[in-house]
Amino acid sequence: MGITHHSNYICWMEESHVAFLKDIGWNYLKLEEMGIISPVIDVRCQYKNTTTFADKVIIETTVKTYSGIKLILQYEMKNEVGKIVALAESAHCFLDNDGKMLRLAKQFPAFYQALCDEEAKE
């Protein structure tokens, strides 16, 4: 089979982003129920090595920076033998259901603190 189409990596990043939130105790459905939406405002991906449809790709997602307004996640994607296949980032903001910017520190301090704690791990 041929190489994986480049757009799949962006889909994998979204899946990893959702899994990351769940892992830190804030699954996306919970956030939406609280009135928090988190659109992507920027995405970047550097393709280092090819993969095929049959390959298993492992993604490590970490907080690169969190300013209280903008969250930047970084993704390290490796194949099963540990070779880096892509390095990527996605930037997100936080809006309410009306599209207005949220200040998580004031409006959702527990979620804000969870993101700060993840940034401190780096």
Side-chain angles (χ1 to χ4, degrees), residues 5-120:
H5 191 270
H6 67 278
S7 64
N8 286 301
Y9 293 80
I10 306 304
C11 294
W12 298 340
M13 290 165 60
E14 181 62 19
E15 289 177 27
S16 187
H17 166 228
V18 170
F20 166 81
L21 290 171
K22 182 179 178 185
D23 289 346
I24 66 167
W26 294 90
N27 76 51
Y28 204 83
L29 181 58
K30 175 181 178 177
L31 294 176
E32 286 185 336
E33 288 171 352
M34 294 170 61
I36 301 171
I37 57 174
S38 181
V40 174
I41 57 175
D42 188 30
V43 65
R44 298 165 192 231
C45 189
Q46 297 176 326
Y47 304 95
K48 301 294 188 179
N49 290 287
T50 61
T51 62
T52 66
F53 180 78
D55 290 338
K56 181 177 181 181
V57 176
I58 297 104
I59 304 173
E60 180 181 355
T61 304
T62 55
V63 174
K64 180 178 180 182
T65 59
Y66 176 56
S67 68
I69 302 293
K70 182 167 65 172
L71 170 67
I72 300 177
L73 297 174
Q74 57 188 13
Y75 309 86
E76 183 179 81
M77 301 179 211
K78 295 181 180 179
N79 62 17
E80 289 178 289
V81 296
K83 189 175 192 178
I84 294 175
V85 297
L87 298 172
E89 293 182 358
S90 62
H92 308 261
C93 64
F94 298 95
L95 307 175
D96 66 16
N97 290 326
D98 294 324
K100 295 180 182 174
M101 189 72 68
L102 292 172
R103 298 218 179 261
L104 295 182
K106 291 182 182 179
Q107 294 165 288
F108 300 96
F111 181 46
Y112 169 83
Q113 190 59 53
L115 294 173
C116 289
D117 291 347
E118 289 301 313
E119 180 187 29

